[in-house]
Amino acid sequence: MTTAGTDLPPVDRRPRPGRRFTARGGSTPFLLIVPAALVLVLVAGWPLVKIVMLSLQKQQDSKYALFHNGGTTSWVGLHNFAEALSGSEFWTVLYRTVVFTAVNVVLSVVIGMAIAVLLNRVSRWARVTLIVVLLFVWAVPTTVSTQIFAWLFNNQYGVVNYLLGRLPGVSMQGHDWFANPVSGLGVVTIVVVWGAIPLLAISLHAGITQVPRDVLEAARCDGAGPWASFRHVTLPYLRPLLIILVTLSVIWDFGVFNQIWFMRGGHPEPGYQTLGIFMYSTGVGSSRYNSGATLAILMILALALVMVVYIRQLFRIGDAE
Amino acid sequence: MTTVAPDPIAAVPANTPRLTTVRASVRSPVRPRRSAATGGWNAVAMVIAGVLGFPIFWMLITSVKTSPEINQLVPQFWPHHVTWSSFGEVLRDPIFRDDLLNSLIITVATVLISLVIGFAGALAIARFRFAGRRVFVVAVLVVQMIPLTALTIPMALLLDDEQLKNTLTGVIIVYLMFTMPFTVWTLRTFIANIPRELDEAALIDGCSRWQVFYKIILPLVAPGLIATGVYSWVLAWNEFVLANTLLLDNTKQTLMVYLLQFQSSPTHGADYGGLMAAATLTALPVVVLFVIFQSRISSGLTSGAVKG
């Protein structure tokens, strides 16, 4: 084993059964990871360092001077963070983002699970048909799906208003779903959940098929009904998979960007701003790089806990070993 | 040599969206009373398939309707006059053609580079134990989880420093940030599922490490390479935020940015036929690839994919 950088953890030199040939790689593994490690440092590490620096600085002169190395920059410590956290806008946006994420994750996982269970009950032709539809839905880019739903919910000629108007006593002609941000974000939720269902339903369905039949049989013999078997047999078996799917969903839904951005034609009103949109509008839209970078760091910190759960779960099920 | 089929799914518990697994469960004699209720559940499944599929159907039929048919208070659920004029309008747009080419260049380059680099990294973590391995694995996983939007500001500034802003090269480099960790992680699963005994047997028989690689690992991982490549293609093709931030001229943008500008331009603002045609053309390259290769793709997903 070659000597590597001093910051690396000590090598586990115990011989592992069955790994004798693969363990002695000499310098090979290091040569193999050099390009990947370089990419990680250049396109992830460097921007991360840069964003931390930006968040601790304040640009004095013109906001455009940051490009072309102009203007004076001074270190202001945690001033940007204090400023962001003391404003009420940040907390409103954070609250909206958390509620939006919670609603989206719960709806996606519950509907995904229901479809997964359903897939297990139907005939083969019905299952194959539904899975093919799910695959098509899965493959549609979020940008495209958002525009489809914007058209479906169009106030003048949208088919949703037409169909709802057919219900007795309902008049939806010209109803604008986006006038009120809460109902507008409701439509965005439909887009997000629609796009999230396929991955959840298909993985959970595959998980359900791997629950041992004899255990389910035993539960039935002991008098468990369908709900009790699901709750006490299937669900515990699905737990590791569910943890991964839920953490991934939280990370994705917290960071939802395209669906909101496209739904509002690239100009989301204040009521539509989630943390990602707020950060982008501040940092890129208004070129306030320091404030934007601060918000980006707060966003990453908010997700850090979820990331830890996800990565620990991957190590626990042995996938990362 | 290829008689041993790698099963990339085994490492990911409970994650086998393959139709073969599905088939096996149908014939199990567990529920004798099921047949009576099955008809009802089938009907429910078809209603769900209809509701979920409706938006895609609506995009397709809107794109072939005439303008008066689109703008009607009572929508037509089947077009009376099929017209391809919306597609013609989009395909004749020189900006669409530029942006299509840009999307293709960026996607192909990103996929190829990340496959080569990612395969090397995956090989290292799947087959070797070395100092810093765990650090590398955690770094790959963490980078995958960082929301792209959070890094747009430093990336724009850094590319500007390097004179790479508003260039396809810059975007390709930046896209490696999310495609490369994904390829490392997914290919790792595929390689880890090739039994080590095969490597060892070959080494005992006198193969060099290099021979083990291209005679055993490479042929067995080939399906995994295709699957990973296809999904990286989807990730890069669908990316919007970075492209929107880093590419400024409309002749240098990608199809995702084109879609947004199509929608918000005054000439096309209410042109839903054109918009749906553009959306169809944008989605086509990923939908086709994805549906063809899905059985191989799904395994890698819950083991740490990031959906754009």
Short mmCIF file of all heavy atoms in Angstrom, two decimals, chain A residues 1 18-19 21-22 43 51 67 122-123 127 138 143 147 151 154 194-195 202 206 210 220 241 245 252 280 310 319 321, chain B residues 14 16-17 22 26 30 42 52 62 127 129 133-134 150 155 160 188 196 200 209 245 256 263 272 301-302 304-305 307:
data_model
loop_
_atom_site.label_atom_id
_atom_site.label_comp_id
_atom_site.label_asym_id
_atom_site.label_seq_id
_atom_site.Cartn_x
_atom_site.Cartn_y
_atom_site.Cartn_z
N MET A 1 0.85 -1.21 0.00
CA MET A 1 0.00 0.00 0.00
C MET A 1 0.88 1.25 0.00
O MET A 1 1.77 1.39 0.83
CB MET A 1 -0.87 -0.05 1.25
CG MET A 1 -2.09 0.82 1.23
SD MET A 1 -3.36 0.27 0.10
CE MET A 1 -4.06 -1.11 1.01
N GLY A 18 -11.20 -13.97 1.16
CA GLY A 18 -11.73 -13.83 -0.19
C GLY A 18 -11.31 -12.56 -0.88
O GLY A 18 -11.72 -12.31 -2.00
N ARG A 19 -10.54 -11.76 -0.21
CA ARG A 19 -10.17 -10.51 -0.86
C ARG A 19 -8.66 -10.39 -1.01
O ARG A 19 -8.14 -9.31 -1.22
CB ARG A 19 -10.68 -9.33 -0.05
CG ARG A 19 -12.17 -9.22 -0.13
CD ARG A 19 -12.67 -8.01 0.58
NE ARG A 19 -14.13 -7.97 0.46
CZ ARG A 19 -14.88 -7.11 1.11
NH1 ARG A 19 -14.33 -6.23 1.90
NH2 ARG A 19 -16.18 -7.12 0.97
N PHE A 21 -6.56 -11.28 -3.27
CA PHE A 21 -6.00 -10.84 -4.54
C PHE A 21 -6.37 -9.39 -4.85
O PHE A 21 -5.61 -8.67 -5.43
CB PHE A 21 -6.50 -11.74 -5.67
CG PHE A 21 -5.85 -13.07 -5.64
CD1 PHE A 21 -6.45 -14.14 -5.01
CD2 PHE A 21 -4.59 -13.24 -6.20
CE1 PHE A 21 -5.84 -15.36 -4.97
CE2 PHE A 21 -3.97 -14.47 -6.16
CZ PHE A 21 -4.59 -15.54 -5.55
N THR A 22 -7.56 -9.03 -4.44
CA THR A 22 -8.00 -7.69 -4.79
C THR A 22 -7.47 -6.65 -3.82
O THR A 22 -7.43 -5.49 -4.14
CB THR A 22 -9.52 -7.63 -4.82
OG1 THR A 22 -9.99 -8.24 -3.64
CG2 THR A 22 -10.06 -8.34 -6.02
N VAL A 43 -15.00 20.66 -9.56
CA VAL A 43 -16.36 21.13 -9.84
C VAL A 43 -17.29 21.06 -8.63
O VAL A 43 -18.42 21.51 -8.70
CB VAL A 43 -17.01 20.38 -11.02
CG1 VAL A 43 -16.21 20.59 -12.27
CG2 VAL A 43 -17.19 18.92 -10.71
N ILE A 51 -18.19 29.41 -2.25
CA ILE A 51 -19.48 29.86 -1.74
C ILE A 51 -19.36 30.24 -0.26
O ILE A 51 -19.98 31.20 0.21
CB ILE A 51 -20.56 28.79 -1.99
CG1 ILE A 51 -21.93 29.43 -2.07
CG2 ILE A 51 -20.60 27.74 -0.93
CD1 ILE A 51 -22.99 28.48 -2.51
N PHE A 67 -17.43 40.44 -11.02
CA PHE A 67 -16.82 39.91 -12.23
C PHE A 67 -15.65 40.83 -12.57
O PHE A 67 -15.61 42.00 -12.18
CB PHE A 67 -17.84 39.93 -13.38
CG PHE A 67 -18.87 38.86 -13.24
CD1 PHE A 67 -20.19 39.18 -12.99
CD2 PHE A 67 -18.51 37.52 -13.36
CE1 PHE A 67 -21.13 38.19 -12.87
CE2 PHE A 67 -19.47 36.53 -13.24
CZ PHE A 67 -20.77 36.86 -12.99
N VAL A 122 -53.18 -6.91 -9.09
CA VAL A 122 -53.91 -6.96 -10.35
C VAL A 122 -53.38 -8.07 -11.25
O VAL A 122 -52.36 -8.69 -10.97
CB VAL A 122 -53.79 -5.61 -11.09
CG1 VAL A 122 -54.50 -4.52 -10.31
CG2 VAL A 122 -52.35 -5.25 -11.32
N SER A 123 -54.11 -8.31 -12.33
CA SER A 123 -53.68 -9.31 -13.31
C SER A 123 -52.43 -8.81 -14.03
O SER A 123 -52.12 -7.63 -14.01
CB SER A 123 -54.77 -9.53 -14.36
OG SER A 123 -56.01 -9.69 -13.74
N ARG A 127 -50.99 -5.00 -14.79
CA ARG A 127 -49.73 -4.57 -14.17
C ARG A 127 -48.77 -4.04 -15.22
O ARG A 127 -48.18 -2.97 -15.06
CB ARG A 127 -49.11 -5.74 -13.41
CG ARG A 127 -47.70 -5.47 -12.93
CD ARG A 127 -47.27 -6.44 -11.87
NE ARG A 127 -47.67 -7.80 -12.18
CZ ARG A 127 -48.46 -8.53 -11.41
NH1 ARG A 127 -48.92 -8.04 -10.28
NH2 ARG A 127 -48.78 -9.76 -11.75
N TRP A 138 -42.25 8.76 -15.81
CA TRP A 138 -40.93 8.91 -15.20
C TRP A 138 -39.98 9.63 -16.14
O TRP A 138 -39.16 10.46 -15.73
CB TRP A 138 -40.41 7.51 -14.87
CG TRP A 138 -39.22 7.44 -14.00
CD1 TRP A 138 -38.39 8.47 -13.64
CD2 TRP A 138 -38.71 6.28 -13.36
NE1 TRP A 138 -37.40 7.99 -12.82
CE2 TRP A 138 -37.58 6.66 -12.64
CE3 TRP A 138 -39.11 4.93 -13.34
CZ2 TRP A 138 -36.83 5.75 -11.89
CZ3 TRP A 138 -38.37 4.04 -12.60
CH2 TRP A 138 -37.24 4.44 -11.87
N THR A 143 -39.19 20.02 -16.80
CA THR A 143 -39.51 21.25 -17.52
C THR A 143 -40.71 21.03 -18.44
O THR A 143 -41.62 21.84 -18.50
CB THR A 143 -38.30 21.66 -18.37
OG1 THR A 143 -37.84 20.52 -19.09
CG2 THR A 143 -37.17 22.16 -17.51
N GLN A 147 -44.81 22.42 -18.20
CA GLN A 147 -45.52 23.16 -19.25
C GLN A 147 -46.81 22.45 -19.65
O GLN A 147 -47.80 23.10 -19.96
CB GLN A 147 -44.59 23.36 -20.43
CG GLN A 147 -43.43 24.24 -19.98
CD GLN A 147 -42.68 24.87 -21.10
OE1 GLN A 147 -42.37 24.20 -22.06
NE2 GLN A 147 -42.38 26.13 -20.99
N TRP A 151 -50.58 24.15 -19.17
CA TRP A 151 -51.59 24.15 -20.24
C TRP A 151 -52.88 23.47 -19.76
O TRP A 151 -53.98 23.96 -20.01
CB TRP A 151 -50.99 23.49 -21.48
CG TRP A 151 -51.93 23.10 -22.59
CD1 TRP A 151 -51.94 21.91 -23.24
CD2 TRP A 151 -52.95 23.90 -23.21
NE1 TRP A 151 -52.91 21.91 -24.21
CE2 TRP A 151 -53.54 23.11 -24.21
CE3 TRP A 151 -53.42 25.19 -23.00
CZ2 TRP A 151 -54.59 23.57 -25.01
CZ3 TRP A 151 -54.48 25.65 -23.80
CH2 TRP A 151 -55.04 24.85 -24.79
N ASN A 154 -54.65 25.93 -17.65
CA ASN A 154 -54.81 27.26 -18.26
C ASN A 154 -56.18 27.82 -17.93
O ASN A 154 -57.17 27.08 -17.92
CB ASN A 154 -54.62 27.10 -19.77
CG ASN A 154 -54.77 28.41 -20.51
OD1 ASN A 154 -55.89 28.84 -20.79
ND2 ASN A 154 -53.67 29.04 -20.81
N TRP A 194 -46.82 13.94 -9.47
CA TRP A 194 -46.98 13.17 -10.72
C TRP A 194 -45.63 12.63 -11.17
O TRP A 194 -45.51 11.47 -11.55
CB TRP A 194 -47.61 14.08 -11.78
CG TRP A 194 -47.89 13.43 -13.10
CD1 TRP A 194 -48.96 12.63 -13.41
CD2 TRP A 194 -47.13 13.54 -14.31
NE1 TRP A 194 -48.90 12.26 -14.72
CE2 TRP A 194 -47.79 12.80 -15.30
CE3 TRP A 194 -45.95 14.22 -14.66
CZ2 TRP A 194 -47.32 12.69 -16.61
CZ3 TRP A 194 -45.48 14.11 -15.96
CH2 TRP A 194 -46.16 13.35 -16.92
N GLY A 195 -44.61 13.48 -11.12
CA GLY A 195 -43.29 13.04 -11.57
C GLY A 195 -42.59 12.11 -10.59
O GLY A 195 -41.72 11.34 -10.98
N ILE A 202 -42.66 1.94 -8.48
CA ILE A 202 -41.96 0.80 -9.07
C ILE A 202 -40.97 0.19 -8.07
O ILE A 202 -40.91 -1.03 -7.91
CB ILE A 202 -41.28 1.21 -10.39
CG1 ILE A 202 -42.37 1.49 -11.44
CG2 ILE A 202 -40.36 0.11 -10.89
CD1 ILE A 202 -41.85 1.95 -12.78
N ALA A 206 -41.43 -3.55 -6.32
CA ALA A 206 -40.39 -4.57 -6.36
C ALA A 206 -40.04 -5.02 -4.94
O ALA A 206 -39.81 -6.20 -4.70
CB ALA A 206 -39.15 -4.02 -7.05
N GLN A 210 -40.59 -8.97 -2.80
CA GLN A 210 -39.53 -9.72 -2.13
C GLN A 210 -39.84 -10.06 -0.68
O GLN A 210 -39.02 -10.68 -0.01
CB GLN A 210 -38.22 -8.92 -2.20
CG GLN A 210 -37.72 -8.85 -3.63
CD GLN A 210 -36.30 -8.34 -3.72
OE1 GLN A 210 -35.75 -7.86 -2.76
NE2 GLN A 210 -35.74 -8.47 -4.91
N ARG A 220 -51.30 -14.75 8.09
CA ARG A 220 -52.70 -15.01 7.78
C ARG A 220 -53.26 -16.13 8.67
O ARG A 220 -54.37 -16.04 9.17
CB ARG A 220 -52.86 -15.40 6.30
CG ARG A 220 -54.26 -15.17 5.76
CD ARG A 220 -54.45 -15.79 4.40
NE ARG A 220 -53.27 -15.68 3.56
CZ ARG A 220 -52.91 -14.58 2.91
NH1 ARG A 220 -53.65 -13.51 3.00
NH2 ARG A 220 -51.82 -14.56 2.18
N LEU A 241 -35.66 0.24 2.50
CA LEU A 241 -35.94 0.89 1.22
C LEU A 241 -36.71 2.19 1.42
O LEU A 241 -36.43 3.20 0.79
CB LEU A 241 -36.74 -0.08 0.34
CG LEU A 241 -37.14 0.44 -1.04
CD1 LEU A 241 -35.91 0.72 -1.89
CD2 LEU A 241 -38.04 -0.56 -1.75
N LEU A 245 -35.91 5.99 0.18
CA LEU A 245 -36.82 6.70 -0.72
C LEU A 245 -37.33 8.00 -0.09
O LEU A 245 -37.46 9.02 -0.76
CB LEU A 245 -38.00 5.80 -1.10
CG LEU A 245 -37.66 4.62 -2.02
CD1 LEU A 245 -38.88 3.72 -2.20
CD2 LEU A 245 -37.18 5.11 -3.38
N TRP A 252 -35.03 15.99 -2.81
CA TRP A 252 -35.51 16.47 -4.11
C TRP A 252 -36.59 17.53 -3.96
O TRP A 252 -36.58 18.55 -4.64
CB TRP A 252 -36.05 15.30 -4.93
CG TRP A 252 -34.98 14.38 -5.43
CD1 TRP A 252 -33.67 14.71 -5.67
CD2 TRP A 252 -35.10 12.99 -5.74
NE1 TRP A 252 -32.99 13.62 -6.11
CE2 TRP A 252 -33.82 12.55 -6.16
CE3 TRP A 252 -36.15 12.07 -5.70
CZ2 TRP A 252 -33.58 11.23 -6.56
CZ3 TRP A 252 -35.90 10.77 -6.09
CH2 TRP A 252 -34.63 10.35 -6.51
N TYR A 280 -31.91 31.80 -5.70
CA TYR A 280 -31.55 32.05 -7.10
C TYR A 280 -31.93 33.47 -7.50
O TYR A 280 -31.15 34.17 -8.16
CB TYR A 280 -32.26 31.03 -7.99
CG TYR A 280 -31.73 30.99 -9.41
CD1 TYR A 280 -30.60 30.26 -9.73
CD2 TYR A 280 -32.39 31.67 -10.44
CE1 TYR A 280 -30.12 30.20 -11.02
CE2 TYR A 280 -31.92 31.62 -11.74
CZ TYR A 280 -30.78 30.88 -12.02
OH TYR A 280 -30.32 30.83 -13.32
N TYR A 310 -29.46 9.58 5.13
CA TYR A 310 -29.39 8.82 3.88
C TYR A 310 -28.08 8.04 3.77
O TYR A 310 -28.06 6.84 3.50
CB TYR A 310 -29.56 9.79 2.71
CG TYR A 310 -29.28 9.20 1.37
CD1 TYR A 310 -30.21 8.36 0.74
CD2 TYR A 310 -28.09 9.46 0.69
CE1 TYR A 310 -29.96 7.83 -0.49
CE2 TYR A 310 -27.83 8.93 -0.55
CZ TYR A 310 -28.77 8.11 -1.14
OH TYR A 310 -28.51 7.57 -2.37
N ASP A 319 -24.52 -1.20 1.35
CA ASP A 319 -24.38 -0.86 -0.05
C ASP A 319 -23.14 -0.03 -0.30
O ASP A 319 -22.60 -0.02 -1.39
CB ASP A 319 -25.63 -0.10 -0.50
CG ASP A 319 -25.92 -0.35 -1.95
OD1 ASP A 319 -25.65 -1.50 -2.39
OD2 ASP A 319 -26.40 0.54 -2.62
N GLU A 321 -20.30 -0.30 1.30
CA GLU A 321 -19.05 -0.94 1.71
C GLU A 321 -18.30 -1.51 0.53
O GLU A 321 -18.87 -1.90 -0.45
CB GLU A 321 -19.35 -2.04 2.74
CG GLU A 321 -19.57 -1.49 4.13
CD GLU A 321 -18.39 -0.66 4.64
OE1 GLU A 321 -17.25 -0.96 4.26
OE2 GLU A 321 -18.62 0.29 5.40
N ALA B 14 -34.54 -5.20 -2.09
CA ALA B 14 -35.92 -4.87 -2.40
C ALA B 14 -36.04 -3.79 -3.47
O ALA B 14 -36.74 -2.83 -3.32
CB ALA B 14 -36.64 -4.41 -1.14
N THR B 16 -36.21 -4.31 -7.31
CA THR B 16 -36.08 -4.97 -8.60
C THR B 16 -37.28 -4.72 -9.48
O THR B 16 -38.13 -5.58 -9.65
CB THR B 16 -35.95 -6.49 -8.41
OG1 THR B 16 -37.03 -6.91 -7.59
CG2 THR B 16 -34.65 -6.85 -7.80
N PRO B 17 -37.36 -3.54 -10.07
CA PRO B 17 -38.49 -3.27 -10.94
C PRO B 17 -38.32 -3.96 -12.29
O PRO B 17 -38.24 -3.31 -13.31
CB PRO B 17 -38.47 -1.76 -11.06
CG PRO B 17 -37.20 -1.31 -10.50
CD PRO B 17 -36.45 -2.47 -9.97
N VAL B 22 -41.96 -9.60 -11.56
CA VAL B 22 -43.38 -9.38 -11.54
C VAL B 22 -44.11 -10.66 -11.94
O VAL B 22 -45.04 -11.09 -11.29
CB VAL B 22 -43.71 -8.25 -12.52
CG1 VAL B 22 -45.20 -8.21 -12.78
CG2 VAL B 22 -43.20 -6.95 -12.00
N VAL B 26 -47.15 -13.65 -10.01
CA VAL B 26 -48.53 -13.85 -10.46
C VAL B 26 -49.01 -15.25 -10.18
O VAL B 26 -50.15 -15.47 -9.78
CB VAL B 26 -48.62 -13.58 -11.98
CG1 VAL B 26 -50.05 -13.76 -12.44
CG2 VAL B 26 -48.13 -12.20 -12.28
N VAL B 30 -51.03 -18.20 -3.45
CA VAL B 30 -51.27 -17.77 -2.08
C VAL B 30 -52.71 -17.38 -1.82
O VAL B 30 -53.28 -17.75 -0.81
CB VAL B 30 -50.34 -16.61 -1.70
CG1 VAL B 30 -50.76 -16.01 -0.38
CG2 VAL B 30 -48.92 -17.12 -1.60
N ASN B 42 -58.23 -4.47 -11.19
CA ASN B 42 -57.78 -4.18 -12.55
C ASN B 42 -58.40 -2.88 -13.05
O ASN B 42 -57.72 -2.06 -13.67
CB ASN B 42 -58.16 -5.32 -13.50
CG ASN B 42 -57.30 -6.54 -13.29
OD1 ASN B 42 -56.28 -6.47 -12.60
ND2 ASN B 42 -57.71 -7.65 -13.88
N LEU B 52 -52.81 9.10 -14.91
CA LEU B 52 -51.37 9.42 -14.96
C LEU B 52 -50.91 9.68 -16.40
O LEU B 52 -50.04 10.51 -16.65
CB LEU B 52 -50.55 8.28 -14.35
CG LEU B 52 -50.62 8.13 -12.84
CD1 LEU B 52 -49.78 6.94 -12.40
CD2 LEU B 52 -50.11 9.39 -12.15
N THR B 62 -52.46 18.00 -28.37
CA THR B 62 -52.42 19.45 -28.56
C THR B 62 -51.42 19.81 -29.66
O THR B 62 -51.65 20.73 -30.44
CB THR B 62 -52.02 20.17 -27.26
OG1 THR B 62 -52.92 19.78 -26.23
CG2 THR B 62 -52.09 21.68 -27.42
N ARG B 127 -13.22 -2.84 -6.12
CA ARG B 127 -12.27 -3.94 -6.15
C ARG B 127 -11.03 -3.76 -5.28
O ARG B 127 -10.24 -4.68 -5.13
CB ARG B 127 -11.81 -4.18 -7.60
CG ARG B 127 -12.80 -4.99 -8.42
CD ARG B 127 -13.02 -6.36 -7.79
NE ARG B 127 -13.67 -7.27 -8.69
CZ ARG B 127 -14.90 -7.75 -8.52
NH1 ARG B 127 -15.62 -7.36 -7.48
NH2 ARG B 127 -15.42 -8.61 -9.36
N ARG B 129 -9.18 -2.09 -1.60
CA ARG B 129 -9.31 -1.40 -0.32
C ARG B 129 -8.06 -0.57 -0.16
O ARG B 129 -6.96 -1.07 -0.27
CB ARG B 129 -9.43 -2.41 0.81
CG ARG B 129 -10.51 -3.44 0.56
CD ARG B 129 -10.93 -4.12 1.83
NE ARG B 129 -11.68 -3.22 2.69
CZ ARG B 129 -12.95 -2.89 2.49
NH1 ARG B 129 -13.59 -3.38 1.48
NH2 ARG B 129 -13.56 -2.07 3.31
N ARG B 133 -10.36 5.36 1.01
CA ARG B 133 -11.49 4.84 0.23
C ARG B 133 -12.81 5.36 0.76
O ARG B 133 -13.67 5.84 0.02
CB ARG B 133 -11.47 3.32 0.27
CG ARG B 133 -12.59 2.66 -0.50
CD ARG B 133 -12.48 1.14 -0.40
NE ARG B 133 -13.66 0.51 -0.97
CZ ARG B 133 -14.80 0.39 -0.35
NH1 ARG B 133 -14.93 0.87 0.88
NH2 ARG B 133 -15.83 -0.19 -0.92
N ARG B 134 -12.95 5.29 2.09
CA ARG B 134 -14.21 5.71 2.70
C ARG B 134 -14.45 7.21 2.52
O ARG B 134 -15.57 7.65 2.26
CB ARG B 134 -14.20 5.35 4.18
CG ARG B 134 -15.58 5.11 4.76
CD ARG B 134 -15.43 4.64 6.21
NE ARG B 134 -16.71 4.76 6.90
CZ ARG B 134 -17.52 3.73 7.13
NH1 ARG B 134 -17.22 2.53 6.70
NH2 ARG B 134 -18.65 3.90 7.77
N ALA B 150 -27.89 25.48 -5.40
CA ALA B 150 -27.07 26.12 -4.37
C ALA B 150 -25.69 26.48 -4.91
O ALA B 150 -25.03 27.36 -4.38
CB ALA B 150 -26.94 25.21 -3.16
N MET B 155 -20.31 28.74 -9.28
CA MET B 155 -19.94 28.18 -10.58
C MET B 155 -19.91 29.26 -11.65
O MET B 155 -19.01 29.29 -12.49
CB MET B 155 -20.89 27.07 -10.97
CG MET B 155 -20.51 25.77 -10.27
SD MET B 155 -21.59 24.45 -10.68
CE MET B 155 -20.67 23.07 -10.00
N ASP B 160 -16.44 32.34 -15.00
CA ASP B 160 -16.11 33.66 -15.52
C ASP B 160 -14.62 33.94 -15.36
O ASP B 160 -13.97 34.45 -16.27
CB ASP B 160 -16.93 34.72 -14.78
CG ASP B 160 -16.86 36.06 -15.48
OD1 ASP B 160 -17.29 36.13 -16.65
OD2 ASP B 160 -16.36 37.02 -14.88
N ARG B 188 -20.27 1.16 -9.53
CA ARG B 188 -19.75 0.42 -8.38
C ARG B 188 -20.65 -0.77 -8.06
O ARG B 188 -20.20 -1.87 -7.81
CB ARG B 188 -19.65 1.34 -7.17
CG ARG B 188 -19.00 0.72 -5.95
CD ARG B 188 -19.62 1.28 -4.72
NE ARG B 188 -20.99 0.83 -4.58
CZ ARG B 188 -21.36 -0.23 -3.87
NH1 ARG B 188 -20.46 -0.93 -3.25
NH2 ARG B 188 -22.63 -0.59 -3.81
N ARG B 196 -16.02 -11.95 -7.08
CA ARG B 196 -14.57 -11.76 -7.02
C ARG B 196 -13.83 -13.04 -7.39
O ARG B 196 -12.68 -13.01 -7.83
CB ARG B 196 -14.16 -11.38 -5.59
CG ARG B 196 -14.47 -9.97 -5.25
CD ARG B 196 -14.40 -9.80 -3.74
NE ARG B 196 -14.93 -8.50 -3.38
CZ ARG B 196 -14.20 -7.41 -3.37
NH1 ARG B 196 -12.94 -7.47 -3.71
NH2 ARG B 196 -14.73 -6.25 -3.04
N GLU B 200 -10.16 -13.78 -9.17
CA GLU B 200 -9.11 -14.57 -8.52
C GLU B 200 -8.73 -15.76 -9.39
O GLU B 200 -7.55 -16.06 -9.55
CB GLU B 200 -9.58 -15.02 -7.15
CG GLU B 200 -9.78 -13.83 -6.23
CD GLU B 200 -10.34 -14.21 -4.88
OE1 GLU B 200 -10.53 -15.41 -4.63
OE2 GLU B 200 -10.60 -13.28 -4.09
N ARG B 209 -3.42 -8.10 -14.16
CA ARG B 209 -4.54 -7.28 -13.70
C ARG B 209 -5.29 -6.65 -14.88
O ARG B 209 -6.50 -6.56 -14.90
CB ARG B 209 -4.02 -6.16 -12.81
CG ARG B 209 -4.15 -6.52 -11.39
CD ARG B 209 -3.71 -5.47 -10.46
NE ARG B 209 -3.64 -6.10 -9.17
CZ ARG B 209 -4.71 -6.50 -8.51
NH1 ARG B 209 -5.91 -6.27 -8.99
NH2 ARG B 209 -4.59 -7.11 -7.37
N THR B 245 -28.19 29.68 -16.29
CA THR B 245 -27.33 30.68 -15.66
C THR B 245 -26.05 30.90 -16.45
O THR B 245 -25.54 32.01 -16.53
CB THR B 245 -26.93 30.20 -14.24
OG1 THR B 245 -28.10 29.71 -13.59
CG2 THR B 245 -26.36 31.34 -13.42
N MET B 256 -33.78 23.01 -22.98
CA MET B 256 -34.57 23.33 -21.79
C MET B 256 -34.76 24.84 -21.68
O MET B 256 -35.83 25.32 -21.33
CB MET B 256 -33.88 22.81 -20.53
CG MET B 256 -33.76 21.31 -20.48
SD MET B 256 -35.36 20.52 -20.54
CE MET B 256 -34.95 18.98 -21.34
N GLN B 263 -42.07 29.85 -24.14
CA GLN B 263 -43.28 30.11 -23.37
C GLN B 263 -43.44 31.59 -23.05
O GLN B 263 -44.54 32.13 -23.06
CB GLN B 263 -43.19 29.29 -22.08
CG GLN B 263 -44.33 29.49 -21.11
CD GLN B 263 -43.99 28.89 -19.76
OE1 GLN B 263 -42.84 28.62 -19.46
NE2 GLN B 263 -45.01 28.66 -18.97
N TYR B 272 -50.00 27.41 -27.70
CA TYR B 272 -49.83 26.14 -26.99
C TYR B 272 -49.54 24.98 -27.93
O TYR B 272 -48.89 24.01 -27.54
CB TYR B 272 -51.04 25.85 -26.11
CG TYR B 272 -50.96 26.62 -24.81
CD1 TYR B 272 -51.64 27.81 -24.63
CD2 TYR B 272 -50.13 26.16 -23.80
CE1 TYR B 272 -51.52 28.52 -23.45
CE2 TYR B 272 -50.00 26.86 -22.62
CZ TYR B 272 -50.70 28.03 -22.45
OH TYR B 272 -50.57 28.74 -21.28
N LEU B 301 -30.99 3.33 -9.27
CA LEU B 301 -31.59 4.59 -8.88
C LEU B 301 -31.67 4.83 -7.40
O LEU B 301 -31.21 5.84 -6.89
CB LEU B 301 -32.97 4.72 -9.49
CG LEU B 301 -32.84 5.09 -10.95
CD1 LEU B 301 -34.17 5.03 -11.62
CD2 LEU B 301 -32.24 6.46 -11.07
N THR B 302 -32.23 3.87 -6.68
CA THR B 302 -32.37 4.14 -5.25
C THR B 302 -31.06 3.97 -4.54
O THR B 302 -30.92 4.34 -3.40
CB THR B 302 -33.41 3.22 -4.61
OG1 THR B 302 -33.26 1.94 -5.19
CG2 THR B 302 -34.80 3.75 -4.82
N GLY B 304 -28.80 5.76 -4.92
CA GLY B 304 -28.21 7.07 -4.84
C GLY B 304 -28.21 7.88 -6.12
O GLY B 304 -27.20 8.40 -6.53
N ALA B 305 -29.35 7.95 -6.76
CA ALA B 305 -29.41 8.78 -7.95
C ALA B 305 -29.89 10.17 -7.57
O ALA B 305 -30.51 10.36 -6.55
CB ALA B 305 -30.36 8.17 -8.94
N LYS B 307 -32.21 13.04 -9.25
CA LYS B 307 -33.07 13.38 -10.37
C LYS B 307 -33.09 14.89 -10.48
O LYS B 307 -33.36 15.57 -9.51
CB LYS B 307 -34.47 12.84 -10.06
CG LYS B 307 -35.29 12.58 -11.28
CD LYS B 307 -36.59 11.96 -10.80
CE LYS B 307 -37.69 12.19 -11.79
NZ LYS B 307 -38.98 11.82 -11.25
#
